[in-house]
Amino acid sequence: MNWGRNRRGVITMSPEKAIVLVTGSNGRIGTAVMERLTGRFSDVVGFDREAATPPPADCVSIPVDISSDGSVREGLRILREHHGTHIAAVVHLAAYYDFIGKPSPRYDEVTVNGTGHLLRGLREGFMVERFIFSSTMLVHQPGEPGQFITEDWPLGPTWAYPESKVRTEALIRGERGDIPAAILRLAGVYDDVCHSPPLAHQIQRIYEQQLASHLYSGETSHGQAFVHLEDVVDAIERTVDRRSQLPPDAVILIGEPETLSYDELQHTFMRLIHGKSSETQSVPGLIAKVGAWVQDHIPGEDPFIKPWMIDRANDHYALDITRARELLDWQPRHSLRKTMPKMIAALAADPVGWYREHGLEPPASLRAEVARGAPEAPEAVDAGACQVHVCPMHPAVCQSSPGSCPKCGEALEPSSAPSQGAEYTCPMHPEIVRLEPGRCPKCGMPLELLKVPEDRYA
């Protein structure tokens, strides 16, 4: 921030005259970063596939498909013409992920090659003070309880998503040229509502009292580090602020120093949801994998737990965040233990809404309960003011805020205005069909996208 005086002589703060570029700006982290830095810097600009075309006059959001070299170059051309060539920081969040576990060409197209497109374009036409890349703690080999992973811990990704991050980190080191880089290896991100697919599905299993909620194929004393969304944004903001003070090849782990075991998560969620807890039974890995495989092949089923996850049940990640404290003067202000009651309170306040927010299908008993208690004639909702975000690959996944699809990892697309040829229906009253988003006139539930318009994939 810069200090100045207004016409009355009162000391005021004015935004720092600098460009900050955020890729993946419509995602959950990207949106939060944009909101945090807007007002602190004169030019905070986002790259995202779903930005308006053509860019608006203020040009705070530019349509860019990071996987396309031509699209990236066009976006950088617009950035240069509207804002200049001196960039204080690039916060590179755009990436691909899913929980399928298998290699996908999208990892190379989006995460690896997309980063290459961006770096080459930046080197050719801009002066960049710091390139900040969002990586993951999962690039490291898992540890054991009692061990704390540092930035120098051996690399050893165990599935496709962190493997793509390892390749991208290597690309950044090889192609950044004179651009200083900072690689932030994040723990699993959550917020007050949850918005963490592994935690949300664990809550779902316990809430519905599924048999799987009492079974586990790994050591329940193992666990993985997490970090609150607000603390992630704090870390990114501090990295931007200290961009000129950090080493040119900084690597920093970002997460909570306390890792909760699977056992503690289970017992705490059970007590918060049902008022009591029970012991989790150990299941041999082979039997668990067979069960997951069978469930994964049942027509109409799309279970979260995949066979490959059984092999990862014993992975343990506890972080030593000494470097984050020293270089960024950062440490988390939140903790998963203290936030878990907030997650369950959000679930209890609006179970169906919580399920929809996390891309989960409410159980039939919950839908029936809502139907019995729903008002007969709720007030009409202005569909034009009701913005929903929908997965282009899984139209049933929709939520009120930006984010990524919990099934495939694709960025959710905003759908605030009626789409030509789109149809929306109520999951409880399929006879209700509308041509625009809104709420069911019978039960008040948000309408789901039933028919995808033909031009969606054009």
Side-chain angles (χ1 to χ4, degrees), residues 266-318:
Q266 278 286 95
H267 284 289
T268 302
F269 281 139
M270 284 182 179
R271 286 192 294 268
L272 290 171
I273 295 172
H274 298 300
K276 59 181 180 179
S277 63
S278 59
E279 293 302 318
T280 302
Q281 303 300 316
S282 177
V283 177
L286 179 59
I287 295 177
K289 289 179 71 173
V290 171
W293 184 91
V294 170
Q295 190 174 19
D296 195 35
H297 286 75
I298 296 176
E301 292 288 327
D302 188 15
F304 177 72
I305 296 179
K306 307 294 184 182
W308 70 270
M309 294 182 182
I310 306 300
D311 293 330
R312 307 273 62 82
N314 275 325
D315 288 358
H316 182 79
Y317 290 88

Tab-separated table of all heavy atoms in Angstrom, residues 266-318:
chain	number	residue	atom	x	y	z
A	266	GLN	N	-12.865	-39.538	12.329
A	266	GLN	CA	-14.036	-40.399	12.411
A	266	GLN	C	-14.827	-40.157	13.691
A	266	GLN	O	-16.034	-39.926	13.665
A	266	GLN	CB	-13.599	-41.862	12.350
A	266	GLN	CG	-13.352	-42.398	10.959
A	266	GLN	CD	-14.642	-42.648	10.200
A	266	GLN	OE1	-15.081	-41.791	9.440
A	266	GLN	NE2	-15.246	-43.796	10.388
A	267	HIS	N	-14.141	-40.242	14.830
A	267	HIS	CA	-14.831	-40.106	16.119
A	267	HIS	C	-15.434	-38.716	16.281
A	267	HIS	O	-16.554	-38.575	16.795
A	267	HIS	CB	-13.867	-40.409	17.267
A	267	HIS	CG	-13.603	-41.869	17.453
A	267	HIS	ND1	-14.541	-42.739	17.959
A	267	HIS	CD2	-12.511	-42.625	17.197
A	267	HIS	CE1	-14.038	-43.966	18.020
A	267	HIS	NE2	-12.799	-43.919	17.553
A	268	THR	N	-14.723	-37.694	15.837
A	268	THR	CA	-15.237	-36.333	15.996
A	268	THR	C	-16.459	-36.104	15.126
A	268	THR	O	-17.478	-35.570	15.594
A	268	THR	CB	-14.144	-35.303	15.645
A	268	THR	OG1	-13.003	-35.520	16.483
A	268	THR	CG2	-14.646	-33.887	15.856
A	269	PHE	N	-16.393	-36.503	13.858
A	269	PHE	CA	-17.553	-36.335	12.990
A	269	PHE	C	-18.746	-37.144	13.502
A	269	PHE	O	-19.888	-36.682	13.454
A	269	PHE	CB	-17.212	-36.760	11.553
A	269	PHE	CG	-16.432	-35.739	10.773
A	269	PHE	CD1	-15.380	-36.129	9.947
A	269	PHE	CD2	-16.757	-34.392	10.845
A	269	PHE	CE1	-14.662	-35.186	9.218
A	269	PHE	CE2	-16.046	-33.443	10.116
A	269	PHE	CZ	-14.995	-33.845	9.311
A	270	MET	N	-18.503	-38.357	13.986
A	270	MET	CA	-19.607	-39.168	14.509
A	270	MET	C	-20.280	-38.483	15.692
A	270	MET	O	-21.514	-38.422	15.774
A	270	MET	CB	-19.085	-40.545	14.929
A	270	MET	CG	-18.802	-41.492	13.783
A	270	MET	SD	-18.241	-43.115	14.381
A	270	MET	CE	-18.030	-43.995	12.834
A	271	ARG	N	-19.469	-37.970	16.629
A	271	ARG	CA	-20.048	-37.317	17.801
A	271	ARG	C	-20.789	-36.042	17.412
A	271	ARG	O	-21.863	-35.751	17.959
A	271	ARG	CB	-18.960	-37.007	18.824
A	271	ARG	CG	-18.455	-38.233	19.576
A	271	ARG	CD	-17.605	-37.834	20.769
A	271	ARG	NE	-16.369	-37.176	20.345
A	271	ARG	CZ	-15.229	-37.809	20.134
A	271	ARG	NH1	-15.167	-39.126	20.301
A	271	ARG	NH2	-14.153	-37.148	19.773
A	272	LEU	N	-20.231	-35.284	16.487
A	272	LEU	CA	-20.893	-34.049	16.070
A	272	LEU	C	-22.197	-34.319	15.329
A	272	LEU	O	-23.168	-33.565	15.466
A	272	LEU	CB	-19.951	-33.240	15.172
A	272	LEU	CG	-18.728	-32.605	15.843
A	272	LEU	CD1	-17.772	-32.038	14.785
A	272	LEU	CD2	-19.142	-31.503	16.810
A	273	ILE	N	-22.252	-35.388	14.560
A	273	ILE	CA	-23.437	-35.672	13.744
A	273	ILE	C	-24.482	-36.476	14.512
A	273	ILE	O	-25.677	-36.167	14.492
A	273	ILE	CB	-23.028	-36.428	12.461
A	273	ILE	CG1	-22.161	-35.527	11.572
A	273	ILE	CG2	-24.265	-36.897	11.682
A	273	ILE	CD1	-21.549	-36.238	10.375
A	274	HIS	N	-24.040	-37.518	15.207
A	274	HIS	CA	-24.987	-38.440	15.845
A	274	HIS	C	-24.937	-38.416	17.373
A	274	HIS	O	-25.717	-39.127	18.011
A	274	HIS	CB	-24.722	-39.871	15.363
A	274	HIS	CG	-24.916	-40.058	13.883
A	274	HIS	ND1	-26.113	-39.825	13.248
A	274	HIS	CD2	-24.039	-40.452	12.909
A	274	HIS	CE1	-25.987	-40.068	11.954
A	274	HIS	NE2	-24.732	-40.443	11.716
A	275	GLY	N	-24.039	-37.639	17.948
A	275	GLY	CA	-23.975	-37.554	19.402
A	275	GLY	C	-23.232	-38.691	20.059
A	275	GLY	O	-23.145	-38.746	21.293
A	276	LYS	N	-22.707	-39.617	19.285
A	276	LYS	CA	-21.950	-40.741	19.841
A	276	LYS	C	-21.038	-41.277	18.743
A	276	LYS	O	-21.210	-40.987	17.553
A	276	LYS	CB	-22.879	-41.851	20.325
A	276	LYS	CG	-23.770	-42.424	19.241
A	276	LYS	CD	-24.694	-43.505	19.783
A	276	LYS	CE	-25.584	-44.060	18.661
A	276	LYS	NZ	-26.486	-45.132	19.161
A	277	SER	N	-20.054	-42.047	19.144
A	277	SER	CA	-19.128	-42.607	18.168
A	277	SER	C	-18.971	-44.099	18.402
A	277	SER	O	-19.365	-44.625	19.446
A	277	SER	CB	-17.763	-41.921	18.253
A	277	SER	OG	-17.164	-42.150	19.518
A	278	SER	N	-18.420	-44.765	17.417
A	278	SER	CA	-18.160	-46.201	17.532
A	278	SER	C	-16.822	-46.496	16.890
A	278	SER	O	-16.278	-45.675	16.131
A	278	SER	CB	-19.275	-47.006	16.844
A	278	SER	OG	-19.374	-46.655	15.467
A	279	GLU	N	-16.277	-47.655	17.171
A	279	GLU	CA	-14.965	-48.001	16.669
A	279	GLU	C	-15.014	-48.312	15.167
A	279	GLU	O	-16.001	-48.829	14.658
A	279	GLU	CB	-14.403	-49.207	17.420
A	279	GLU	CG	-14.100	-48.921	18.886
A	279	GLU	CD	-13.110	-47.783	19.056
A	279	GLU	OE1	-12.123	-47.737	18.287
A	279	GLU	OE2	-13.334	-46.939	19.940
A	280	THR	N	-13.928	-47.987	14.487
A	280	THR	CA	-13.782	-48.282	13.068
A	280	THR	C	-13.089	-49.634	12.914
A	280	THR	O	-12.058	-49.876	13.540
A	280	THR	CB	-12.961	-47.190	12.362
A	280	THR	OG1	-13.616	-45.931	12.549
A	280	THR	CG2	-12.831	-47.482	10.879
A	281	GLN	N	-13.671	-50.491	12.108
A	281	GLN	CA	-13.125	-51.830	11.927
A	281	GLN	C	-12.130	-51.865	10.770
A	281	GLN	O	-12.361	-51.254	9.731
A	281	GLN	CB	-14.264	-52.841	11.661
A	281	GLN	CG	-15.310	-52.878	12.750
A	281	GLN	CD	-14.725	-53.273	14.095
A	281	GLN	OE1	-13.918	-54.210	14.190
A	281	GLN	NE2	-15.127	-52.567	15.137
A	282	SER	N	-11.040	-52.555	10.967
A	282	SER	CA	-10.026	-52.682	9.933
A	282	SER	C	-10.447	-53.738	8.909
A	282	SER	O	-10.930	-54.816	9.261
A	282	SER	CB	-8.684	-53.073	10.555
A	282	SER	OG	-7.708	-53.266	9.568
A	283	VAL	N	-10.256	-53.394	7.623
A	283	VAL	CA	-10.586	-54.304	6.525
A	283	VAL	C	-9.308	-54.566	5.729
A	283	VAL	O	-8.617	-53.622	5.354
A	283	VAL	CB	-11.659	-53.706	5.596
A	283	VAL	CG1	-11.944	-54.637	4.428
A	283	VAL	CG2	-12.932	-53.419	6.370
A	284	PRO	N	-8.959	-55.829	5.478
A	284	PRO	CA	-7.776	-56.110	4.660
A	284	PRO	C	-7.840	-55.396	3.324
A	284	PRO	O	-8.905	-55.295	2.701
A	284	PRO	CB	-7.811	-57.636	4.494
A	284	PRO	CG	-8.589	-58.116	5.676
A	284	PRO	CD	-9.624	-57.056	5.945
A	285	GLY	N	-6.692	-54.906	2.871
A	285	GLY	CA	-6.644	-54.107	1.658
A	285	GLY	C	-7.223	-54.805	0.447
A	285	GLY	O	-7.943	-54.195	-0.347
A	286	LEU	N	-6.938	-56.091	0.262
A	286	LEU	CA	-7.419	-56.811	-0.910
A	286	LEU	C	-8.940	-56.867	-0.925
A	286	LEU	O	-9.582	-56.648	-1.954
A	286	LEU	CB	-6.832	-58.224	-0.946
A	286	LEU	CG	-7.272	-59.099	-2.124
A	286	LEU	CD1	-6.884	-58.434	-3.445
A	286	LEU	CD2	-6.670	-60.494	-2.019
A	287	ILE	N	-9.527	-57.165	0.231
A	287	ILE	CA	-10.990	-57.230	0.313
A	287	ILE	C	-11.589	-55.855	0.045
A	287	ILE	O	-12.594	-55.719	-0.673
A	287	ILE	CB	-11.422	-57.753	1.695
A	287	ILE	CG1	-10.956	-59.205	1.876
A	287	ILE	CG2	-12.933	-57.648	1.862
A	287	ILE	CD1	-11.267	-59.783	3.242
A	288	ALA	N	-10.975	-54.808	0.598
A	288	ALA	CA	-11.476	-53.456	0.389
A	288	ALA	C	-11.409	-53.067	-1.083
A	288	ALA	O	-12.319	-52.432	-1.621
A	288	ALA	CB	-10.688	-52.470	1.239
A	289	LYS	N	-10.324	-53.459	-1.769
A	289	LYS	CA	-10.179	-53.125	-3.181
A	289	LYS	C	-11.221	-53.845	-4.026
A	289	LYS	O	-11.783	-53.272	-4.961
A	289	LYS	CB	-8.770	-53.469	-3.661
A	289	LYS	CG	-7.693	-52.549	-3.121
A	289	LYS	CD	-6.315	-52.943	-3.591
A	289	LYS	CE	-6.118	-52.657	-5.052
A	289	LYS	NZ	-4.711	-52.886	-5.471
A	290	VAL	N	-11.484	-55.106	-3.691
A	290	VAL	CA	-12.517	-55.853	-4.419
A	290	VAL	C	-13.866	-55.191	-4.230
A	290	VAL	O	-14.635	-55.005	-5.184
A	290	VAL	CB	-12.551	-57.322	-3.955
A	290	VAL	CG1	-13.772	-58.031	-4.555
A	290	VAL	CG2	-11.269	-58.046	-4.364
A	291	GLY	N	-14.172	-54.802	-2.977
A	291	GLY	CA	-15.448	-54.142	-2.707
A	291	GLY	C	-15.571	-52.826	-3.444
A	291	GLY	O	-16.623	-52.508	-4.005
A	292	ALA	N	-14.480	-52.045	-3.471
A	292	ALA	CA	-14.506	-50.767	-4.181
A	292	ALA	C	-14.672	-50.985	-5.678
A	292	ALA	O	-15.382	-50.240	-6.351
A	292	ALA	CB	-13.228	-49.982	-3.884
A	293	TRP	N	-14.010	-52.024	-6.206
A	293	TRP	CA	-14.120	-52.316	-7.637
A	293	TRP	C	-15.551	-52.702	-7.995
A	293	TRP	O	-16.100	-52.239	-8.997
A	293	TRP	CB	-13.160	-53.440	-8.011
A	293	TRP	CG	-13.137	-53.727	-9.488
A	293	TRP	CD1	-12.323	-53.173	-10.424
A	293	TRP	CD2	-13.995	-54.644	-10.200
A	293	TRP	NE1	-12.603	-53.673	-11.672
A	293	TRP	CE2	-13.625	-54.583	-11.576
A	293	TRP	CE3	-15.022	-55.505	-9.816
A	293	TRP	CZ2	-14.259	-55.343	-12.539
A	293	TRP	CZ3	-15.661	-56.260	-10.786
A	293	TRP	CH2	-15.277	-56.186	-12.123
A	294	VAL	N	-16.172	-53.545	-7.201
A	294	VAL	CA	-17.545	-53.979	-7.464
A	294	VAL	C	-18.485	-52.784	-7.427
A	294	VAL	O	-19.326	-52.593	-8.321
A	294	VAL	CB	-17.983	-55.046	-6.443
A	294	VAL	CG1	-19.481	-55.319	-6.566
A	294	VAL	CG2	-17.191	-56.335	-6.638
A	295	GLN	N	-18.350	-51.934	-6.396
A	295	GLN	CA	-19.231	-50.782	-6.274
A	295	GLN	C	-19.024	-49.814	-7.434
A	295	GLN	O	-19.972	-49.203	-7.936
A	295	GLN	CB	-18.972	-50.058	-4.954
A	295	GLN	CG	-20.011	-48.985	-4.627
A	295	GLN	CD	-19.802	-48.390	-3.254
A	295	GLN	OE1	-18.731	-48.492	-2.677
A	295	GLN	NE2	-20.837	-47.756	-2.714
A	296	ASP	N	-17.784	-49.701	-7.893
A	296	ASP	CA	-17.470	-48.784	-8.985
A	296	ASP	C	-18.069	-49.258	-10.306
A	296	ASP	O	-18.213	-48.466	-11.237
A	296	ASP	CB	-15.946	-48.656	-9.117
A	296	ASP	CG	-15.537	-47.476	-9.972
A	296	ASP	OD1	-16.233	-46.437	-9.908
A	296	ASP	OD2	-14.541	-47.578	-10.705
A	297	HIS	N	-18.423	-50.560	-10.401
A	297	HIS	CA	-18.963	-51.102	-11.651
A	297	HIS	C	-20.465	-51.375	-11.584
A	297	HIS	O	-21.030	-51.966	-12.499
A	297	HIS	CB	-18.217	-52.397	-12.024
A	297	HIS	CG	-16.830	-52.148	-12.541
A	297	HIS	ND1	-15.784	-51.800	-11.721
A	297	HIS	CD2	-16.328	-52.184	-13.806
A	297	HIS	CE1	-14.694	-51.648	-12.460
A	297	HIS	NE2	-14.996	-51.868	-13.710
A	298	ILE	N	-21.114	-50.938	-10.522
A	298	ILE	CA	-22.570	-51.069	-10.439
A	298	ILE	C	-23.203	-49.974	-11.296
A	298	ILE	O	-22.880	-48.798	-11.114
A	298	ILE	CB	-23.062	-50.948	-8.987
A	298	ILE	CG1	-22.515	-52.107	-8.144
A	298	ILE	CG2	-24.590	-50.931	-8.930
A	298	ILE	CD1	-22.882	-52.009	-6.672
A	299	PRO	N	-24.066	-50.312	-12.240
A	299	PRO	CA	-24.690	-49.299	-13.099
A	299	PRO	C	-25.390	-48.234	-12.268
A	299	PRO	O	-26.114	-48.531	-11.312
A	299	PRO	CB	-25.697	-50.102	-13.937
A	299	PRO	CG	-25.139	-51.500	-13.941
A	299	PRO	CD	-24.506	-51.685	-12.593
A	300	GLY	N	-25.156	-46.996	-12.611
A	300	GLY	CA	-25.792	-45.878	-11.920
A	300	GLY	C	-25.046	-45.410	-10.695
A	300	GLY	O	-25.373	-44.360	-10.143
A	301	GLU	N	-24.049	-46.163	-10.249
A	301	GLU	CA	-23.282	-45.778	-9.067
A	301	GLU	C	-22.010	-45.040	-9.496
A	301	GLU	O	-21.408	-45.362	-10.504
A	301	GLU	CB	-22.895	-47.017	-8.251
A	301	GLU	CG	-24.069	-47.711	-7.583
A	301	GLU	CD	-24.632	-46.917	-6.422
A	301	GLU	OE1	-23.844	-46.224	-5.749
A	301	GLU	OE2	-25.847	-46.973	-6.195
A	302	ASP	N	-21.638	-44.046	-8.721
A	302	ASP	CA	-20.382	-43.329	-8.960
A	302	ASP	C	-19.731	-43.069	-7.606
A	302	ASP	O	-19.669	-41.933	-7.133
A	302	ASP	CB	-20.630	-42.020	-9.705
A	302	ASP	CG	-19.335	-41.352	-10.136
A	302	ASP	OD1	-18.283	-42.023	-10.114
A	302	ASP	OD2	-19.364	-40.149	-10.476
A	303	PRO	N	-19.239	-44.122	-6.946
A	303	PRO	CA	-18.697	-43.971	-5.593
A	303	PRO	C	-17.423	-43.153	-5.591
A	303	PRO	O	-16.650	-43.156	-6.556
A	303	PRO	CB	-18.442	-45.416	-5.165
A	303	PRO	CG	-18.190	-46.150	-6.445
A	303	PRO	CD	-19.103	-45.499	-7.454
A	304	PHE	N	-17.199	-42.435	-4.486
A	304	PHE	CA	-15.994	-41.624	-4.372
A	304	PHE	C	-14.761	-42.496	-4.184
A	304	PHE	O	-13.710	-42.247	-4.766
A	304	PHE	CB	-16.129	-40.652	-3.196
A	304	PHE	CG	-14.895	-39.833	-2.953
A	304	PHE	CD1	-14.543	-38.812	-3.819
A	304	PHE	CD2	-14.075	-40.096	-1.862
A	304	PHE	CE1	-13.400	-38.045	-3.602
A	304	PHE	CE2	-12.924	-39.346	-1.639
A	304	PHE	CZ	-12.593	-38.317	-2.508
A	305	ILE	N	-14.878	-43.536	-3.342
A	305	ILE	CA	-13.729	-44.387	-3.052
A	305	ILE	C	-13.473	-45.310	-4.245
A	305	ILE	O	-14.320	-46.113	-4.621
A	305	ILE	CB	-13.964	-45.211	-1.773
A	305	ILE	CG1	-14.090	-44.280	-0.567
A	305	ILE	CG2	-12.813	-46.188	-1.548
A	305	ILE	CD1	-14.340	-44.995	0.745
A	306	LYS	N	-12.305	-45.178	-4.843
A	306	LYS	CA	-11.892	-45.992	-5.971
A	306	LYS	C	-10.866	-47.022	-5.487
A	306	LYS	O	-10.212	-46.840	-4.442
A	306	LYS	CB	-11.265	-45.125	-7.067
A	306	LYS	CG	-12.128	-43.947	-7.504
A	306	LYS	CD	-13.393	-44.388	-8.193
A	306	LYS	CE	-14.179	-43.180	-8.701
A	306	LYS	NZ	-15.455	-43.560	-9.348
A	307	PRO	N	-10.693	-48.111	-6.246
A	307	PRO	CA	-9.730	-49.130	-5.821
A	307	PRO	C	-8.333	-48.575	-5.553
A	307	PRO	O	-7.647	-49.002	-4.621
A	307	PRO	CB	-9.738	-50.118	-6.992
A	307	PRO	CG	-11.121	-50.002	-7.567
A	307	PRO	CD	-11.469	-48.546	-7.433
A	308	TRP	N	-7.876	-47.597	-6.354
A	308	TRP	CA	-6.525	-47.075	-6.175
A	308	TRP	C	-6.371	-46.366	-4.826
A	308	TRP	O	-5.269	-46.293	-4.276
A	308	TRP	CB	-6.150	-46.110	-7.310
A	308	TRP	CG	-6.888	-44.804	-7.292
A	308	TRP	CD1	-8.061	-44.527	-7.909
A	308	TRP	CD2	-6.483	-43.596	-6.632
A	308	TRP	NE1	-8.436	-43.222	-7.678
A	308	TRP	CE2	-7.483	-42.629	-6.895
A	308	TRP	CE3	-5.400	-43.232	-5.842
A	308	TRP	CZ2	-7.416	-41.324	-6.400
A	308	TRP	CZ3	-5.329	-41.936	-5.346
A	308	TRP	CH2	-6.322	-41.002	-5.626
A	309	MET	N	-7.481	-45.830	-4.290
A	309	MET	CA	-7.409	-45.127	-3.009
A	309	MET	C	-7.088	-46.083	-1.858
A	309	MET	O	-6.535	-45.661	-0.834
A	309	MET	CB	-8.724	-44.400	-2.727
A	309	MET	CG	-9.030	-43.266	-3.683
A	309	MET	SD	-10.576	-42.438	-3.229
A	309	MET	CE	-10.705	-41.222	-4.538
A	310	ILE	N	-7.451	-47.346	-2.028
A	310	ILE	CA	-7.168	-48.329	-0.977
A	310	ILE	C	-5.658	-48.429	-0.762
A	310	ILE	O	-5.183	-48.529	0.378
A	310	ILE	CB	-7.747	-49.707	-1.363
A	310	ILE	CG1	-9.248	-49.589	-1.702
A	310	ILE	CG2	-7.509	-50.706	-0.244
A	310	ILE	CD1	-10.114	-49.066	-0.595
A	311	ASP	N	-4.900	-48.378	-1.850
A	311	ASP	CA	-3.439	-48.446	-1.740
A	311	ASP	C	-2.864	-47.221	-1.045
A	311	ASP	O	-1.746	-47.271	-0.531
A	311	ASP	CB	-2.809	-48.573	-3.133
A	311	ASP	CG	-3.139	-49.902	-3.802
A	311	ASP	OD1	-3.326	-50.897	-3.067
A	311	ASP	OD2	-3.226	-49.938	-5.039
A	312	ARG	N	-3.600	-46.131	-1.019
A	312	ARG	CA	-3.104	-44.883	-0.441
A	312	ARG	C	-3.624	-44.664	0.972
A	312	ARG	O	-3.355	-43.633	1.586
A	312	ARG	CB	-3.525	-43.685	-1.305
A	312	ARG	CG	-3.141	-43.819	-2.788
A	312	ARG	CD	-1.730	-43.313	-3.040
A	312	ARG	NE	-0.703	-44.039	-2.351
A	312	ARG	CZ	-0.169	-45.186	-2.777
A	312	ARG	NH1	-0.605	-45.757	-3.888
A	312	ARG	NH2	0.798	-45.784	-2.095
A	313	ALA	N	-4.375	-45.625	1.515
A	313	ALA	CA	-5.003	-45.434	2.825
A	313	ALA	C	-3.986	-45.258	3.942
A	313	ALA	O	-4.276	-44.634	4.965
A	313	ALA	CB	-5.928	-46.618	3.143
A	314	ASN	N	-2.771	-45.799	3.772
A	314	ASN	CA	-1.751	-45.684	4.806
A	314	ASN	C	-0.839	-44.478	4.627
A	314	ASN	O	0.050	-44.250	5.460
A	314	ASN	CB	-0.890	-46.956	4.854
A	314	ASN	CG	-1.531	-48.032	5.715
A	314	ASN	OD1	-2.174	-47.739	6.721
A	314	ASN	ND2	-1.376	-49.279	5.306
A	315	ASP	N	-1.014	-43.716	3.548
A	315	ASP	CA	-0.165	-42.542	3.342
A	315	ASP	C	-0.346	-41.562	4.496
A	315	ASP	O	-1.473	-41.279	4.921
A	315	ASP	CB	-0.522	-41.855	2.020
A	315	ASP	CG	-0.069	-42.665	0.812
A	315	ASP	OD1	0.552	-43.723	1.011
A	315	ASP	OD2	-0.357	-42.239	-0.324
A	316	HIS	N	0.770	-41.044	4.986
A	316	HIS	CA	0.724	-40.112	6.124
A	316	HIS	C	1.541	-38.872	5.780
A	316	HIS	O	2.691	-38.966	5.350
A	316	HIS	CB	1.301	-40.786	7.379
A	316	HIS	CG	1.243	-39.909	8.596
A	316	HIS	ND1	0.098	-39.738	9.332
A	316	HIS	CD2	2.205	-39.148	9.206
A	316	HIS	CE1	0.347	-38.916	10.352
A	316	HIS	NE2	1.616	-38.542	10.292
A	317	TYR	N	0.910	-37.705	5.944
A	317	TYR	CA	1.581	-36.449	5.653
A	317	TYR	C	1.422	-35.493	6.838
A	317	TYR	O	0.323	-35.008	7.113
A	317	TYR	CB	0.997	-35.787	4.398
A	317	TYR	CG	1.333	-36.510	3.114
A	317	TYR	CD1	0.516	-37.530	2.641
A	317	TYR	CD2	2.472	-36.179	2.386
A	317	TYR	CE1	0.828	-38.201	1.464
A	317	TYR	CE2	2.795	-36.844	1.207
A	317	TYR	CZ	1.966	-37.857	0.756
A	317	TYR	OH	2.271	-38.521	-0.409
A	318	ALA	N	2.508	-35.247	7.536
A	318	ALA	CA	2.581	-34.224	8.576
A	318	ALA	C	3.690	-33.264	8.162
A	318	ALA	O	4.762	-33.699	7.730
A	318	ALA	CB	2.886	-34.846	9.935
